[in-house]
């Protein structure tokens, strides 16, 4: 039972009976489920092609503290600091174990143990440290290396490369040896011990990181530097509600676990390995989709992070850029031009899906990737990603793929995409998936737009296919069939056609939007993946039906398991654990549903609406065009405070911003530090110099 009133601290006196829902700790490079003797490292995979999976790395921190005398247990996960604590209290001593993946120094994992004598105790007090660590892995052939400054050392290489001729990555572990017991001497009131673990890809890096860890311990800055990095992160984003403690806690958990999947905002190493559905703590062989990167990263996880953290958003784009060669190889193997991003990606960008049909047919991944790049440009106006950062190669390469993949149909004078699998994976080899075709259309249009910006020649085929690609629509029923031949009422696995309104932004009348929602909601599998209901909620919020939206959003609570707010893919607890995809969809329902935020070409549009049980929504740190904004939404009014962002992204120099209200045309300048309050109604934030209009509603 939780007794802590701070919603950022998840507490319990009993661990979950299903140990899958122990809290995962991660920092964008290292991922670990507490007490587990296995951890994972970003970008370290073993196995070729469809057998590729995150390599199991043995974890020396897999230690439990045990005491001989009767104790009371307390467990907590402090999401403000990313520290898991286990406290045992007896008549003679309080023993606390602290575990964390260092937020600033990503190669470091830390365990600290604190013993505090109770009043009246004078005897030496000994606790046992029970380790389940063995220096072995089924994926990596380890051998002992020479000790380094008192630290134990093993090194090894994965057994099988991702593709023929590829390299097998090396892993080095150096850690402080952990004794089997610790003793508080009679003269000591308390004592603290620290143990560090370093994981790196080469010996020089491992030794340098171990040196850094030792230095931080000596200066007493090991934990403070970690906590400072988390404080810095939370200062840039906060999503809090008044009126529902359950929702507030769920949102905090989502933000914490999503941020844990990303590198430090100070990381310049360009080694980020992407975000997989179960995060870094999961993804071994036959588990959590093998730790592969899907559309989950670009469509479900990315938007809620990009709204606050342009540097972390850029890390996602740079991951995709590093897979260009693999995407080119995928397209060539399919017989097409350009780039075909893999349905399941590891390091190289070559397809690693265990079943060929998904890699062959679930081609909407290309549109998902380009949408992430487009959002980044609209949020930041940072062209360096596209110029020096090779982002333009991604956009142009995907455009070339769409052109070569499309087939002209003389009967309806339209381009068709044949033999595809839509996001609704209950159907295969269908023609003209409405989601896929719409994503292709918008990807081609963005390629034209970017080429104009960069003064790059625009192939006429990009415009031709974009203009004439088929977008299935039933005129009689005024709704979008999921694909050619879809029969109304047939079951649907997950959010698919409802994604046309958001995130794709296909223009449609309120009647058609309603018809799409009403058509697909009752036939969507109630046991399907968790991210689905957030998208239905956003649709109903667009139609001003906040209570209906809230009922659907609250379905997601069934996916939150145990005291540490860990999500499961399915509501019965099955499927992927620490399901970041579901968290991302849930977070978007609030960030883009309650607020009505839409990232448009020349503005950030909004149309706020809160359900009855929510009196306030506070969204702090929204990053737009080099500024950060804090938003407070109430039932009848909205308050925005602009704060200057330290530094700008790329070469962008911030202009002044203003709020423009849609109905009245009222313009309210945003002045740093001064609240701007206005009635709750649709509007947008744009540059003062902007004369264009962008109203998605």
């Amino acid at each position: 039972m939780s007794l802590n009133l701070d919603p950022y601290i998840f507490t319990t006196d009993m661990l979950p009976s299903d140990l899958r829902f122990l809290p995962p700790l991660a920092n964008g490079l290292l991922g670990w489920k507490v007490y587990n003797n296995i951890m994972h490292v970003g970008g370290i995979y073993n196995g070729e092609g469809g057998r590729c999976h995150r390599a199991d790395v043995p974890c020396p921190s897999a230690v439990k503290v045990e005491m001989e005398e009767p104790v009371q247990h307390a467990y907590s996960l402090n999401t403000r600091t990313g520290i898991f604590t286990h406290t045992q209290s007896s008549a003679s001593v309080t023993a606390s174990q602290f575990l964390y993946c260092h937020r600033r120094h990503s190669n470091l994992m830390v365990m600290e143990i604190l013993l505090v004598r109770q009043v009246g105790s004078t005897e030496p007090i000994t606790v046992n440290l029970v380790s389940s660590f063995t220096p072995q892995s089924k994926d990596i052939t380890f051998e002992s290396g020479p000790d380094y400054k008192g630290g134990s050392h093993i090194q090894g290489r994965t057994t099988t490369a991702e593709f023929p001729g590829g390299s097998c990555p090396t892993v080095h572990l150096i850690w402080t040896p952990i004794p089997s017991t610790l003793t508080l001497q009679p003269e000591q009131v308390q004592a603290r011990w620290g143990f560090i673990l370093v994981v790196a890809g080469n010996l020089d890096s491992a030794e340098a990181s171990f040196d850094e860890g030792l230095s931080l311990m000596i200066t007493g800055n090991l934990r403070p530097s970690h906590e400072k990095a988390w404080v810095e992160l939370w200062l840039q984003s906060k999503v809090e509600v008044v009126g529902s403690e359950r929702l507030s806690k769920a949102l905090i958990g989502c933000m914490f676990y999503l941020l844990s999947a990303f590198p430090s905002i100070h990381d310049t190493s360009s080694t980020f390995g992407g975000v997989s559905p179960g995060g870094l703590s999961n993804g071994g062989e036959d588990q959590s989709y093998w730790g592969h990167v899907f559309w989950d990263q670009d469509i479900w996880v990315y938007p809620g992070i990009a709204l606050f953290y342009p540097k972390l958003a850029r890390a996602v784009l740079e991951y995709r850029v590093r897979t260009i060669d693999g995407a080119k190889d995928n397209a060539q193997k399919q017989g097409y031009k350009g780039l075909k991003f893999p349905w399941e990606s590891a390091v190289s960008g070559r397809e690693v899906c265990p079943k060929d049909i998904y890699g062959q047919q679930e081609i909407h991944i290309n549109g998902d990737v380009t949408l992430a790049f487009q959002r980044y440009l609209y949020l930041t106006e940072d062209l360096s990603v596209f110029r020096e950062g090779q982002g333009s190669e991604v956009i142009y390469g995907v455009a070339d793929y769409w052109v070569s993949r499309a087939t002209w149909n003389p009967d309806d004078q339209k381009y068709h995409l044949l033999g595809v699998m839509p996001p609704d994976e209950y159907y295969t080899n269908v023609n003209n998936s409405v989601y896929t075709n719409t994503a292709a259309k918008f990807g081609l249009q963005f390629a034209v737009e970017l080429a104009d910006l960069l003064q790059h020649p625009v192939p006429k085929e990009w415009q031709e296919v974009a203009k004439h690609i088929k977008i299935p629509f039933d005129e009689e029923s005024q709704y979008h069939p999921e694909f050619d031949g879809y029969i109304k009422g047939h079951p649907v696995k997950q959010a698919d056609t409802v994604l046309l309104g958001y995130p794709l932004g296909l223009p449609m009348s309120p009647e058609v939007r309603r018809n799409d929602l009403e058509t697909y909601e009752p036939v969507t599998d109630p046991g399907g993946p968790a991210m689905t209901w957030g998208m239905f909620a956003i649709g109903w919020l667009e139609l001003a039906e906040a209570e209906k939206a809230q009922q659907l959003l609250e379905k997601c609570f069934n996916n939150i398991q145990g005291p540490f707010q860990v999500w499961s893919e399915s509501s019965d607890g099955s499927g992927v654990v620490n399901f970041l995809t579901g968290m991302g969809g849930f977070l978007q329902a609030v960030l883009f549903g309650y607020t009505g935020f839409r990232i448009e070409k020349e503005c950030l549009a909004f149309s706020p609406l809160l359900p009855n049980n929510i009196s306030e929504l506070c969204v702090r740190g929204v990053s737009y065009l080099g500024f950060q904004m804090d938003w407070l939404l109430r039932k009848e009014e909205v308050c925005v405070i602009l704060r200057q962002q330290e530094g700008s992204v790329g070469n962008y120099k911030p202009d002044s911003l203003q709020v423009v209200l849609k109905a009245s045309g009222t313009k309210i300048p945003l002045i740093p530090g001064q609240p701007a309050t206005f009635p709750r109604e649709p509007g947008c934030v744009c540059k003062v110099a902007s004369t264009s209009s962008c109203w998605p509603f």
Side-chain angles (χ1 to χ4, degrees), residues 27 29-30 39 41 101-110 172 174 196-202 205-206 208-210 267:
N27 62 8
L29 178 67
L30 307 181
M39 61 186 295
V41 183
C101 290
H102 205 286
R103 185 67 234 183
R104 180 65 190 265
H105 302 283
S106 59
N107 297 91
L108 273 176
M109 186 182 290
V110 181
H172 288 260
I174 303 177
I196 59 174
L197 162 66
V198 161
V199 186
N202 60 70
S205 177
S209 295
F210 196 74
D267 188 335

PDB file of all heavy atoms in Angstrom, residues 27 29-30 39 41 101-110 172 174 196-202 205-206 208-210 267:
ATOM      1  N   ASN A  27      18.750   4.747 -18.859  1.00  0.00           N
ATOM      2  CA  ASN A  27      19.252   6.109 -19.092  1.00  0.00           C
ATOM      3  C   ASN A  27      19.576   6.374 -20.562  1.00  0.00           C
ATOM      4  O   ASN A  27      20.367   7.254 -20.880  1.00  0.00           O
ATOM      5  CB  ASN A  27      20.492   6.377 -18.228  1.00  0.00           C
ATOM      6  CG  ASN A  27      21.653   5.447 -18.556  1.00  0.00           C
ATOM      7  OD1 ASN A  27      21.608   4.688 -19.531  1.00  0.00           O
ATOM      8  ND2 ASN A  27      22.713   5.501 -17.756  1.00  0.00           N
ATOM      9  N   LEU A  29      21.165   4.409 -22.536  1.00  0.00           N
ATOM     10  CA  LEU A  29      22.223   3.485 -22.944  1.00  0.00           C
ATOM     11  C   LEU A  29      22.112   2.156 -22.206  1.00  0.00           C
ATOM     12  O   LEU A  29      22.152   1.091 -22.818  1.00  0.00           O
ATOM     13  CB  LEU A  29      23.608   4.087 -22.688  1.00  0.00           C
ATOM     14  CG  LEU A  29      24.782   3.157 -23.040  1.00  0.00           C
ATOM     15  CD1 LEU A  29      24.840   2.910 -24.553  1.00  0.00           C
ATOM     16  CD2 LEU A  29      26.105   3.719 -22.533  1.00  0.00           C
ATOM     17  N   LEU A  30      21.942   2.227 -20.884  1.00  0.00           N
ATOM     18  CA  LEU A  30      21.813   1.022 -20.068  1.00  0.00           C
ATOM     19  C   LEU A  30      20.358   0.843 -19.654  1.00  0.00           C
ATOM     20  O   LEU A  30      19.668   1.818 -19.328  1.00  0.00           O
ATOM     21  CB  LEU A  30      22.686   1.119 -18.817  1.00  0.00           C
ATOM     22  CG  LEU A  30      24.169   1.454 -19.027  1.00  0.00           C
ATOM     23  CD1 LEU A  30      24.890   1.495 -17.685  1.00  0.00           C
ATOM     24  CD2 LEU A  30      24.826   0.452 -19.964  1.00  0.00           C
ATOM     25  N   MET A  39      20.975  -7.415 -17.903  1.00  0.00           N
ATOM     26  CA  MET A  39      20.706  -6.045 -18.323  1.00  0.00           C
ATOM     27  C   MET A  39      20.899  -5.967 -19.835  1.00  0.00           C
ATOM     28  O   MET A  39      21.316  -6.941 -20.473  1.00  0.00           O
ATOM     29  CB  MET A  39      21.643  -5.068 -17.612  1.00  0.00           C
ATOM     30  CG  MET A  39      23.121  -5.300 -17.906  1.00  0.00           C
ATOM     31  SD  MET A  39      24.228  -4.252 -16.934  1.00  0.00           S
ATOM     32  CE  MET A  39      23.796  -2.649 -17.564  1.00  0.00           C
ATOM     33  N   VAL A  41      22.129  -3.198 -23.238  1.00  0.00           N
ATOM     34  CA  VAL A  41      22.882  -2.002 -23.619  1.00  0.00           C
ATOM     35  C   VAL A  41      22.386  -1.546 -24.985  1.00  0.00           C
ATOM     36  O   VAL A  41      22.272  -2.358 -25.912  1.00  0.00           O
ATOM     37  CB  VAL A  41      24.396  -2.301 -23.675  1.00  0.00           C
ATOM     38  CG1 VAL A  41      25.174  -1.030 -24.009  1.00  0.00           C
ATOM     39  CG2 VAL A  41      24.876  -2.904 -22.364  1.00  0.00           C
ATOM     40  N   CYS A 101      20.516   4.022 -12.654  1.00  0.00           N
ATOM     41  CA  CYS A 101      21.341   4.192 -13.854  1.00  0.00           C
ATOM     42  C   CYS A 101      21.656   5.676 -13.959  1.00  0.00           C
ATOM     43  O   CYS A 101      20.730   6.501 -14.032  1.00  0.00           O
ATOM     44  CB  CYS A 101      20.591   3.717 -15.103  1.00  0.00           C
ATOM     45  SG  CYS A 101      20.356   1.938 -15.199  1.00  0.00           S
ATOM     46  N   HIS A 102      22.926   6.022 -13.965  1.00  0.00           N
ATOM     47  CA  HIS A 102      23.306   7.432 -13.867  1.00  0.00           C
ATOM     48  C   HIS A 102      22.784   8.215 -15.060  1.00  0.00           C
ATOM     49  O   HIS A 102      23.010   7.853 -16.214  1.00  0.00           O
ATOM     50  CB  HIS A 102      24.828   7.574 -13.765  1.00  0.00           C
ATOM     51  CG  HIS A 102      25.259   8.822 -13.093  1.00  0.00           C
ATOM     52  ND1 HIS A 102      25.192  10.050 -13.701  1.00  0.00           N
ATOM     53  CD2 HIS A 102      25.756   9.045 -11.833  1.00  0.00           C
ATOM     54  CE1 HIS A 102      25.636  10.979 -12.869  1.00  0.00           C
ATOM     55  NE2 HIS A 102      25.989  10.387 -11.720  1.00  0.00           N
ATOM     56  N   ARG A 103      22.084   9.323 -14.767  1.00  0.00           N
ATOM     57  CA  ARG A 103      21.411  10.085 -15.820  1.00  0.00           C
ATOM     58  C   ARG A 103      22.381  10.935 -16.638  1.00  0.00           C
ATOM     59  O   ARG A 103      22.146  11.167 -17.824  1.00  0.00           O
ATOM     60  CB  ARG A 103      20.354  10.974 -15.163  1.00  0.00           C
ATOM     61  CG  ARG A 103      19.464  11.754 -16.095  1.00  0.00           C
ATOM     62  CD  ARG A 103      18.548  10.859 -16.887  1.00  0.00           C
ATOM     63  NE  ARG A 103      18.692  11.109 -18.305  1.00  0.00           N
ATOM     64  CZ  ARG A 103      17.979  10.514 -19.241  1.00  0.00           C
ATOM     65  NH1 ARG A 103      17.089   9.611 -18.927  1.00  0.00           N
ATOM     66  NH2 ARG A 103      18.169  10.790 -20.507  1.00  0.00           N
ATOM     67  N   ARG A 104      23.465  11.394 -16.027  1.00  0.00           N
ATOM     68  CA  ARG A 104      24.411  12.253 -16.756  1.00  0.00           C
ATOM     69  C   ARG A 104      25.526  11.424 -17.389  1.00  0.00           C
ATOM     70  O   ARG A 104      25.958  11.704 -18.503  1.00  0.00           O
ATOM     71  CB  ARG A 104      25.002  13.297 -15.810  1.00  0.00           C
ATOM     72  CG  ARG A 104      26.004  14.253 -16.470  1.00  0.00           C
ATOM     73  CD  ARG A 104      25.330  15.114 -17.517  1.00  0.00           C
ATOM     74  NE  ARG A 104      26.278  15.865 -18.318  1.00  0.00           N
ATOM     75  CZ  ARG A 104      26.651  17.124 -18.084  1.00  0.00           C
ATOM     76  NH1 ARG A 104      26.156  17.764 -17.044  1.00  0.00           N
ATOM     77  NH2 ARG A 104      27.494  17.736 -18.878  1.00  0.00           N
ATOM     78  N   HIS A 105      25.997  10.418 -16.674  1.00  0.00           N
ATOM     79  CA  HIS A 105      27.097   9.581 -17.165  1.00  0.00           C
ATOM     80  C   HIS A 105      26.509   8.218 -17.526  1.00  0.00           C
ATOM     81  O   HIS A 105      26.387   7.332 -16.678  1.00  0.00           O
ATOM     82  CB  HIS A 105      28.195   9.478 -16.108  1.00  0.00           C
ATOM     83  CG  HIS A 105      28.749  10.808 -15.695  1.00  0.00           C
ATOM     84  ND1 HIS A 105      29.641  11.514 -16.472  1.00  0.00           N
ATOM     85  CD2 HIS A 105      28.500  11.575 -14.606  1.00  0.00           C
ATOM     86  CE1 HIS A 105      29.941  12.661 -15.871  1.00  0.00           C
ATOM     87  NE2 HIS A 105      29.258  12.713 -14.734  1.00  0.00           N
ATOM     88  N   SER A 106      26.153   8.054 -18.794  1.00  0.00           N
ATOM     89  CA  SER A 106      25.274   6.951 -19.194  1.00  0.00           C
ATOM     90  C   SER A 106      25.940   5.581 -19.133  1.00  0.00           C
ATOM     91  O   SER A 106      25.248   4.562 -19.172  1.00  0.00           O
ATOM     92  CB  SER A 106      24.727   7.204 -20.607  1.00  0.00           C
ATOM     93  OG  SER A 106      25.787   7.323 -21.539  1.00  0.00           O
ATOM     94  N   ASN A 107      27.262   5.515 -19.026  1.00  0.00           N
ATOM     95  CA  ASN A 107      27.930   4.219 -18.909  1.00  0.00           C
ATOM     96  C   ASN A 107      27.894   3.668 -17.486  1.00  0.00           C
ATOM     97  O   ASN A 107      28.333   2.539 -17.251  1.00  0.00           O
ATOM     98  CB  ASN A 107      29.403   4.319 -19.345  1.00  0.00           C
ATOM     99  CG  ASN A 107      29.550   4.697 -20.802  1.00  0.00           C
ATOM    100  OD1 ASN A 107      29.631   5.871 -21.130  1.00  0.00           O
ATOM    101  ND2 ASN A 107      29.565   3.710 -21.676  1.00  0.00           N
ATOM    102  N   LEU A 108      27.378   4.454 -16.545  1.00  0.00           N
ATOM    103  CA  LEU A 108      27.454   4.121 -15.122  1.00  0.00           C
ATOM    104  C   LEU A 108      26.135   3.600 -14.564  1.00  0.00           C
ATOM    105  O   LEU A 108      25.069   4.176 -14.806  1.00  0.00           O
ATOM    106  CB  LEU A 108      27.826   5.365 -14.310  1.00  0.00           C
ATOM    107  CG  LEU A 108      29.296   5.721 -14.109  1.00  0.00           C
ATOM    108  CD1 LEU A 108      29.387   7.045 -13.364  1.00  0.00           C
ATOM    109  CD2 LEU A 108      30.006   4.647 -13.314  1.00  0.00           C
ATOM    110  N   MET A 109      26.213   2.508 -13.793  1.00  0.00           N
ATOM    111  CA  MET A 109      25.117   2.057 -12.951  1.00  0.00           C
ATOM    112  C   MET A 109      25.636   2.031 -11.520  1.00  0.00           C
ATOM    113  O   MET A 109      26.791   1.680 -11.280  1.00  0.00           O
ATOM    114  CB  MET A 109      24.633   0.679 -13.386  1.00  0.00           C
ATOM    115  CG  MET A 109      23.395   0.198 -12.646  1.00  0.00           C
ATOM    116  SD  MET A 109      22.903  -1.466 -13.150  1.00  0.00           S
ATOM    117  CE  MET A 109      22.322  -1.147 -14.800  1.00  0.00           C
ATOM    118  N   VAL A 110      24.770   2.408 -10.575  1.00  0.00           N
ATOM    119  CA  VAL A 110      25.236   2.613  -9.207  1.00  0.00           C
ATOM    120  C   VAL A 110      24.351   1.856  -8.217  1.00  0.00           C
ATOM    121  O   VAL A 110      23.126   1.821  -8.357  1.00  0.00           O
ATOM    122  CB  VAL A 110      25.226   4.119  -8.839  1.00  0.00           C
ATOM    123  CG1 VAL A 110      25.737   4.332  -7.423  1.00  0.00           C
ATOM    124  CG2 VAL A 110      26.062   4.924  -9.842  1.00  0.00           C
ATOM    125  N   HIS A 172      32.619  -4.318 -22.610  1.00  0.00           N
ATOM    126  CA  HIS A 172      33.501  -4.361 -21.441  1.00  0.00           C
ATOM    127  C   HIS A 172      32.687  -3.991 -20.205  1.00  0.00           C
ATOM    128  O   HIS A 172      31.939  -3.020 -20.227  1.00  0.00           O
ATOM    129  CB  HIS A 172      34.658  -3.365 -21.584  1.00  0.00           C
ATOM    130  CG  HIS A 172      35.685  -3.768 -22.597  1.00  0.00           C
ATOM    131  ND1 HIS A 172      36.884  -4.358 -22.249  1.00  0.00           N
ATOM    132  CD2 HIS A 172      35.696  -3.658 -23.960  1.00  0.00           C
ATOM    133  CE1 HIS A 172      37.582  -4.597 -23.346  1.00  0.00           C
ATOM    134  NE2 HIS A 172      36.881  -4.182 -24.399  1.00  0.00           N
ATOM    135  N   ILE A 174      33.390  -3.185 -16.099  1.00  0.00           N
ATOM    136  CA  ILE A 174      34.290  -2.996 -14.955  1.00  0.00           C
ATOM    137  C   ILE A 174      33.415  -2.588 -13.774  1.00  0.00           C
ATOM    138  O   ILE A 174      32.584  -1.681 -13.901  1.00  0.00           O
ATOM    139  CB  ILE A 174      35.355  -1.917 -15.223  1.00  0.00           C
ATOM    140  CG1 ILE A 174      36.179  -2.252 -16.478  1.00  0.00           C
ATOM    141  CG2 ILE A 174      36.286  -1.767 -14.020  1.00  0.00           C
ATOM    142  CD1 ILE A 174      37.209  -1.187 -16.847  1.00  0.00           C
ATOM    143  N   ILE A 196      30.021   0.820  -8.069  1.00  0.00           N
ATOM    144  CA  ILE A 196      29.725   1.284  -9.420  1.00  0.00           C
ATOM    145  C   ILE A 196      29.979   0.178 -10.438  1.00  0.00           C
ATOM    146  O   ILE A 196      30.829  -0.691 -10.245  1.00  0.00           O
ATOM    147  CB  ILE A 196      30.542   2.542  -9.790  1.00  0.00           C
ATOM    148  CG1 ILE A 196      32.047   2.283  -9.712  1.00  0.00           C
ATOM    149  CG2 ILE A 196      30.127   3.719  -8.931  1.00  0.00           C
ATOM    150  CD1 ILE A 196      32.889   3.452 -10.220  1.00  0.00           C
ATOM    151  N   LEU A 197      29.213   0.233 -11.486  1.00  0.00           N
ATOM    152  CA  LEU A 197      29.369  -0.667 -12.632  1.00  0.00           C
ATOM    153  C   LEU A 197      29.474   0.191 -13.876  1.00  0.00           C
ATOM    154  O   LEU A 197      28.680   1.122 -14.068  1.00  0.00           O
ATOM    155  CB  LEU A 197      28.156  -1.603 -12.743  1.00  0.00           C
ATOM    156  CG  LEU A 197      27.933  -2.295 -14.094  1.00  0.00           C
ATOM    157  CD1 LEU A 197      29.066  -3.281 -14.390  1.00  0.00           C
ATOM    158  CD2 LEU A 197      26.579  -3.005 -14.110  1.00  0.00           C
ATOM    159  N   VAL A 198      30.468  -0.117 -14.716  1.00  0.00           N
ATOM    160  CA  VAL A 198      30.648   0.586 -15.984  1.00  0.00           C
ATOM    161  C   VAL A 198      30.488  -0.414 -17.125  1.00  0.00           C
ATOM    162  O   VAL A 198      31.033  -1.521 -17.068  1.00  0.00           O
ATOM    163  CB  VAL A 198      32.041   1.252 -16.049  1.00  0.00           C
ATOM    164  CG1 VAL A 198      32.425   1.588 -17.478  1.00  0.00           C
ATOM    165  CG2 VAL A 198      32.069   2.490 -15.184  1.00  0.00           C
ATOM    166  N   VAL A 199      29.727  -0.030 -18.141  1.00  0.00           N
ATOM    167  CA  VAL A 199      29.578  -0.837 -19.352  1.00  0.00           C
ATOM    168  C   VAL A 199      29.951   0.040 -20.535  1.00  0.00           C
ATOM    169  O   VAL A 199      29.443   1.161 -20.669  1.00  0.00           O
ATOM    170  CB  VAL A 199      28.140  -1.366 -19.521  1.00  0.00           C
ATOM    171  CG1 VAL A 199      28.064  -2.311 -20.715  1.00  0.00           C
ATOM    172  CG2 VAL A 199      27.659  -2.065 -18.258  1.00  0.00           C
ATOM    173  N   ALA A 200      30.847  -0.456 -21.389  1.00  0.00           N
ATOM    174  CA  ALA A 200      31.286   0.334 -22.540  1.00  0.00           C
ATOM    175  C   ALA A 200      31.685  -0.591 -23.682  1.00  0.00           C
ATOM    176  O   ALA A 200      31.868  -1.794 -23.493  1.00  0.00           O
ATOM    177  CB  ALA A 200      32.461   1.236 -22.157  1.00  0.00           C
ATOM    178  N   GLY A 201      31.841   0.005 -24.856  1.00  0.00           N
ATOM    179  CA  GLY A 201      32.130  -0.773 -26.057  1.00  0.00           C
ATOM    180  C   GLY A 201      33.600  -0.982 -26.326  1.00  0.00           C
ATOM    181  O   GLY A 201      33.960  -1.749 -27.217  1.00  0.00           O
ATOM    182  N   ASN A 202      34.459  -0.291 -25.597  1.00  0.00           N
ATOM    183  CA  ASN A 202      35.904  -0.513 -25.753  1.00  0.00           C
ATOM    184  C   ASN A 202      36.580  -0.251 -24.419  1.00  0.00           C
ATOM    185  O   ASN A 202      36.004   0.378 -23.510  1.00  0.00           O
ATOM    186  CB  ASN A 202      36.490   0.370 -26.865  1.00  0.00           C
ATOM    187  CG  ASN A 202      36.297   1.848 -26.597  1.00  0.00           C
ATOM    188  OD1 ASN A 202      36.919   2.413 -25.702  1.00  0.00           O
ATOM    189  ND2 ASN A 202      35.409   2.485 -27.363  1.00  0.00           N
ATOM    190  N   SER A 205      37.184   3.509 -23.223  1.00  0.00           N
ATOM    191  CA  SER A 205      35.960   4.144 -22.733  1.00  0.00           C
ATOM    192  C   SER A 205      35.558   3.584 -21.377  1.00  0.00           C
ATOM    193  O   SER A 205      35.126   4.332 -20.488  1.00  0.00           O
ATOM    194  CB  SER A 205      34.827   3.940 -23.746  1.00  0.00           C
ATOM    195  OG  SER A 205      33.620   4.480 -23.265  1.00  0.00           O
ATOM    196  N   ALA A 206      35.696   2.267 -21.213  1.00  0.00           N
ATOM    197  CA  ALA A 206      35.341   1.646 -19.936  1.00  0.00           C
ATOM    198  C   ALA A 206      36.217   2.185 -18.807  1.00  0.00           C
ATOM    199  O   ALA A 206      35.719   2.530 -17.721  1.00  0.00           O
ATOM    200  CB  ALA A 206      35.469   0.128 -20.041  1.00  0.00           C
ATOM    201  N   ALA A 208      37.939   5.009 -18.740  1.00  0.00           N
ATOM    202  CA  ALA A 208      37.679   6.436 -18.519  1.00  0.00           C
ATOM    203  C   ALA A 208      36.396   6.634 -17.708  1.00  0.00           C
ATOM    204  O   ALA A 208      36.342   7.492 -16.812  1.00  0.00           O
ATOM    205  CB  ALA A 208      37.575   7.161 -19.861  1.00  0.00           C
ATOM    206  N   SER A 209      35.378   5.839 -18.006  1.00  0.00           N
ATOM    207  CA  SER A 209      34.114   5.952 -17.264  1.00  0.00           C
ATOM    208  C   SER A 209      34.279   5.484 -15.823  1.00  0.00           C
ATOM    209  O   SER A 209      33.685   6.057 -14.902  1.00  0.00           O
ATOM    210  CB  SER A 209      33.018   5.135 -17.961  1.00  0.00           C
ATOM    211  OG  SER A 209      32.713   5.667 -19.233  1.00  0.00           O
ATOM    212  N   PHE A 210      35.076   4.427 -15.631  1.00  0.00           N
ATOM    213  CA  PHE A 210      35.320   3.955 -14.267  1.00  0.00           C
ATOM    214  C   PHE A 210      36.088   5.017 -13.473  1.00  0.00           C
ATOM    215  O   PHE A 210      35.777   5.274 -12.294  1.00  0.00           O
ATOM    216  CB  PHE A 210      36.096   2.638 -14.297  1.00  0.00           C
ATOM    217  CG  PHE A 210      36.081   1.880 -13.004  1.00  0.00           C
ATOM    218  CD1 PHE A 210      34.945   1.215 -12.595  1.00  0.00           C
ATOM    219  CD2 PHE A 210      37.212   1.836 -12.195  1.00  0.00           C
ATOM    220  CE1 PHE A 210      34.923   0.514 -11.389  1.00  0.00           C
ATOM    221  CE2 PHE A 210      37.203   1.134 -11.000  1.00  0.00           C
ATOM    222  CZ  PHE A 210      36.056   0.478 -10.586  1.00  0.00           C
ATOM    223  N   ASP A 267      24.321  14.551 -24.181  1.00  0.00           N
ATOM    224  CA  ASP A 267      25.022  13.491 -24.916  1.00  0.00           C
ATOM    225  C   ASP A 267      25.320  13.950 -26.345  1.00  0.00           C
ATOM    226  O   ASP A 267      24.416  14.355 -27.074  1.00  0.00           O
ATOM    227  CB  ASP A 267      24.153  12.230 -24.943  1.00  0.00           C
ATOM    228  CG  ASP A 267      24.887  11.020 -25.507  1.00  0.00           C
ATOM    229  OD1 ASP A 267      25.834  11.216 -26.283  1.00  0.00           O
ATOM    230  OD2 ASP A 267      24.503   9.886 -25.193  1.00  0.00           O
TER     231      ASP A 267
END
